[in-house]
Amino acid sequence: MSNSTRVLSCIQPTGDVHLGNYLGALQNWVRGQHECDAFHGIVDLHSLTVTEEPGIVGETTLSLAAMLFAVGLDPDDATVFAQSHVAEHSQLAWIMQCNVAYGELSRMTQFKDKSVKRDGQFISAGLFTYPTLMAADILLYDTNHVPVGNDQHQHIEITRDIAIRFNRRFGETFVLPEAVTPAAGARVMSLQDPTSKMSKSEDSGAGCVYIVDEPAAVMKKFKRAVTDSDTGPDAVRYDRAAKPGVANLLEIHAAVTGRTPEAVADDYEQYGALKVATGEAVVATLDPIRIRYIELMDDRGELARLLRVGAEKARAVASVTLQRVHDAIGMVPA
Ligand code: TRP
């Protein structure tokens, strides 16, 4: 990968960002902005496929944008934008729809799963054509790499299939993107159930540390973290299989201090001290982010300005690609 490798990651504006999102993904985005040509889309149009109530998507989009800037994405390095601010996404999505077969979309497992789950509820056509909007997101930016988990590989495959078909029909127009495995971040587990991933869908919320949690709340969650009943002199040691709760604390501690879990384990003999120290280390990392996030959420003008910078940079690339597409098809110049 070089500085000219274009990398696109997009996330839907849903829910609050937690420590697992930060250590698992966002931290890598911040590092990546100096290593590649990074584009980050907040894909608000995608979330319309299932958004039920008015007025929510705008707030969640602003909140996620504030979070991305607060964790350290720099508008001069990375291109951070809201999908709906760049009209080319919707425009190219239509053309994508005309270059994919009904049968191909019907075979998408995500559509099958989501439409079954929504049985009896409104199933929008957007849920069905979702992959064509995603193909537009990717192809508009001549994207080389798309870091995604396994659940998204079928979407990248269909994007490539559409691009190949289009290039054959109308001549070389699109760069073929590749799915890449995201740089491995820490795998943060729930503080209450250290065998499952930290997640916002958890019942009580006690196992999930949000970036916007006040320091006192963060400390409370760490003090109550589940460990185990082993009390030997060697109780604090790094052993994921035998001691998942302790291992999770050690990994979190290591991730925020840039050390190894084994080295952290050497410093502690008791669970209580480890919990407090880990909570303090997490607060030291999260607090500046939380403060910057609040500042940005209180300064809507600045937040709008940052998103405008991103939208302009994104549009400059997207408009050229869309024009190339129109020219390849042979549409009447505007
Ligand atoms: N489908 C992706 C998800 O649910 C989100 C997404 C939309 C995306 N457009 C994209 C991801 C373009 C990467 C590139 O996670």
PDB file of all heavy atoms in Angstrom, residues 228-235 271:
ATOM      1  N   ASP A 228     -12.469 -13.338  37.852  1.00  0.00           N
ATOM      2  CA  ASP A 228     -12.789 -14.714  38.229  1.00  0.00           C
ATOM      3  C   ASP A 228     -12.448 -14.910  39.696  1.00  0.00           C
ATOM      4  O   ASP A 228     -12.036 -13.967  40.374  1.00  0.00           O
ATOM      5  CB  ASP A 228     -12.074 -15.728  37.324  1.00  0.00           C
ATOM      6  CG  ASP A 228     -10.569 -15.517  37.303  1.00  0.00           C
ATOM      7  OD1 ASP A 228      -9.970 -15.422  38.397  1.00  0.00           O
ATOM      8  OD2 ASP A 228     -10.002 -15.428  36.199  1.00  0.00           O
ATOM      9  N   SER A 229     -12.589 -16.139  40.206  1.00  0.00           N
ATOM     10  CA  SER A 229     -12.439 -16.340  41.650  1.00  0.00           C
ATOM     11  C   SER A 229     -11.073 -16.913  42.027  1.00  0.00           C
ATOM     12  O   SER A 229     -10.820 -17.228  43.180  1.00  0.00           O
ATOM     13  CB  SER A 229     -13.553 -17.268  42.153  1.00  0.00           C
ATOM     14  OG  SER A 229     -13.533 -18.444  41.381  1.00  0.00           O
ATOM     15  N   ASP A 230     -10.188 -17.000  41.047  1.00  0.00           N
ATOM     16  CA  ASP A 230      -8.843 -17.504  41.281  1.00  0.00           C
ATOM     17  C   ASP A 230      -8.052 -16.439  42.051  1.00  0.00           C
ATOM     18  O   ASP A 230      -7.945 -15.303  41.628  1.00  0.00           O
ATOM     19  CB  ASP A 230      -8.244 -17.796  39.888  1.00  0.00           C
ATOM     20  CG  ASP A 230      -6.756 -18.022  39.904  1.00  0.00           C
ATOM     21  OD1 ASP A 230      -6.224 -18.298  40.994  1.00  0.00           O
ATOM     22  OD2 ASP A 230      -6.142 -17.935  38.833  1.00  0.00           O
ATOM     23  N   THR A 231      -7.508 -16.821  43.238  1.00  0.00           N
ATOM     24  CA  THR A 231      -6.839 -15.802  44.061  1.00  0.00           C
ATOM     25  C   THR A 231      -5.381 -16.116  44.374  1.00  0.00           C
ATOM     26  O   THR A 231      -4.831 -15.603  45.333  1.00  0.00           O
ATOM     27  CB  THR A 231      -7.574 -15.602  45.410  1.00  0.00           C
ATOM     28  OG1 THR A 231      -7.672 -16.882  46.041  1.00  0.00           O
ATOM     29  CG2 THR A 231      -8.932 -14.977  45.226  1.00  0.00           C
ATOM     30  N   GLY A 232      -4.778 -16.972  43.597  1.00  0.00           N
ATOM     31  CA  GLY A 232      -3.374 -17.320  43.859  1.00  0.00           C
ATOM     32  C   GLY A 232      -2.461 -16.124  43.692  1.00  0.00           C
ATOM     33  O   GLY A 232      -2.902 -15.045  43.281  1.00  0.00           O
ATOM     34  N   PRO A 233      -1.170 -16.266  44.030  1.00  0.00           N
ATOM     35  CA  PRO A 233      -0.203 -15.169  43.877  1.00  0.00           C
ATOM     36  C   PRO A 233      -0.042 -14.775  42.405  1.00  0.00           C
ATOM     37  O   PRO A 233       0.361 -13.652  42.088  1.00  0.00           O
ATOM     38  CB  PRO A 233       1.107 -15.752  44.426  1.00  0.00           C
ATOM     39  CG  PRO A 233       0.898 -17.245  44.474  1.00  0.00           C
ATOM     40  CD  PRO A 233      -0.569 -17.483  44.594  1.00  0.00           C
ATOM     41  N   ASP A 234      -0.415 -15.712  41.516  1.00  0.00           N
ATOM     42  CA  ASP A 234      -0.241 -15.475  40.087  1.00  0.00           C
ATOM     43  C   ASP A 234      -1.596 -15.205  39.426  1.00  0.00           C
ATOM     44  O   ASP A 234      -1.819 -15.530  38.269  1.00  0.00           O
ATOM     45  CB  ASP A 234       0.413 -16.738  39.491  1.00  0.00           C
ATOM     46  CG  ASP A 234       0.993 -16.475  38.122  1.00  0.00           C
ATOM     47  OD1 ASP A 234       1.240 -15.291  37.824  1.00  0.00           O
ATOM     48  OD2 ASP A 234       1.167 -17.443  37.358  1.00  0.00           O
ATOM     49  N   ALA A 235      -2.533 -14.632  40.204  1.00  0.00           N
ATOM     50  CA  ALA A 235      -3.912 -14.485  39.704  1.00  0.00           C
ATOM     51  C   ALA A 235      -3.987 -13.562  38.485  1.00  0.00           C
ATOM     52  O   ALA A 235      -4.770 -13.800  37.578  1.00  0.00           O
ATOM     53  CB  ALA A 235      -4.807 -13.944  40.815  1.00  0.00           C
ATOM     54  N   TYR A 271      -6.726  -8.145  41.370  1.00  0.00           N
ATOM     55  CA  TYR A 271      -7.716  -7.714  40.381  1.00  0.00           C
ATOM     56  C   TYR A 271      -8.141  -6.270  40.595  1.00  0.00           C
ATOM     57  O   TYR A 271      -8.307  -5.509  39.653  1.00  0.00           O
ATOM     58  CB  TYR A 271      -8.964  -8.608  40.433  1.00  0.00           C
ATOM     59  CG  TYR A 271      -8.691 -10.059  40.114  1.00  0.00           C
ATOM     60  CD1 TYR A 271      -9.415 -11.069  40.750  1.00  0.00           C
ATOM     61  CD2 TYR A 271      -7.735 -10.414  39.172  1.00  0.00           C
ATOM     62  CE1 TYR A 271      -9.193 -12.400  40.461  1.00  0.00           C
ATOM     63  CE2 TYR A 271      -7.499 -11.749  38.883  1.00  0.00           C
ATOM     64  CZ  TYR A 271      -8.226 -12.744  39.530  1.00  0.00           C
ATOM     65  OH  TYR A 271      -7.999 -14.046  39.247  1.00  0.00           O
TER      66      TYR A 271
END
